[in-house]
Amino acid sequence: MNSVAVTTGNYNRKFGMMIAVIAAVVGLIYGYDNGSISGALPFLTKQFSLSSTMQGAVTSTTVFGSIIGAIVGGRMADAFGRKKMMLWIALGYTIFALFSAIPLGIGWLLPVRFCMGLCIGTSIVVAPLFI
């Protein structure tokens, strides 16, 4: 009987650790995106001759996407399943991060950053539901 309790306790610790790691990664991705645009903005401003208004648009577009993603994330998780949504979010992060690296212009970057924001906002809601 003790071996069952020990096994269950180890499982609970591993599961708890997995939950903590997933939650930390979601926060890390959100912070990383904000930090990365701060470092890239001077280069984007020079390359695309951005006005201060466009600099603000590049920076805040992700936030607007995050707001919308957070609003619809719970409903999407209920409709499609939490695990499936986490996989789609991970795929979205990958695709939109790669698309962000393609310098096709500001007309390309704004929608890509908005879509990245959708992934971030959705993950903020779906990751805790998944956990």
Side-chain angles (χ1 to χ4, degrees):
M1 188 139 169
N2 287 338
S3 64
V4 173
V6 170
T7 305
T8 304
N10 286 338
Y11 174 77
N12 286 337
R13 280 188 218 118
K14 288 180 183 177
F15 185 70
M17 184 60 95
M18 182 183 71
I19 289 171
V21 168
I22 290 172
V25 167
V26 168
L28 180 74
I29 289 172
Y30 185 72
Y32 178 77
D33 181 69
N34 286 334
S36 66
I37 196 60
S38 298
L41 199 56
F43 300 104
L44 291 171
T45 301
K46 184 177 179 184
Q47 183 173 354
F48 299 120
S49 301
L50 299 179
S51 66
S52 57
T53 302
M54 288 307 294
Q55 289 176 16
V58 168
T59 305
S60 62
T61 298
T62 306
V63 176
F64 293 132
S66 295
I67 292 168
I68 293 171
I71 290 170
V72 301
R75 290 187 197 111
M76 290 175 69
D78 288 342
F80 301 114
R82 290 161 177 84
K83 185 176 181 179
K84 190 177 281 188
M85 282 303 300
M86 289 297 291
L87 294 172
W88 281 108
I89 290 166
L91 180 65
Y93 277 136
T94 303
I95 290 171
F96 297 120
L98 291 172
F99 282 179
S100 293
I102 301 171
L104 296 179
I106 199 70
W108 170 265
L109 187 60
L110 289 176
V112 167
R113 285 194 48 80
F114 179 80
C115 292
M116 178 64 86
L118 289 174
C119 290
I120 292 169
T122 305
S123 70
I124 289 171
V125 173
V126 175
L129 290 175
F130 177 72
I131 293 169

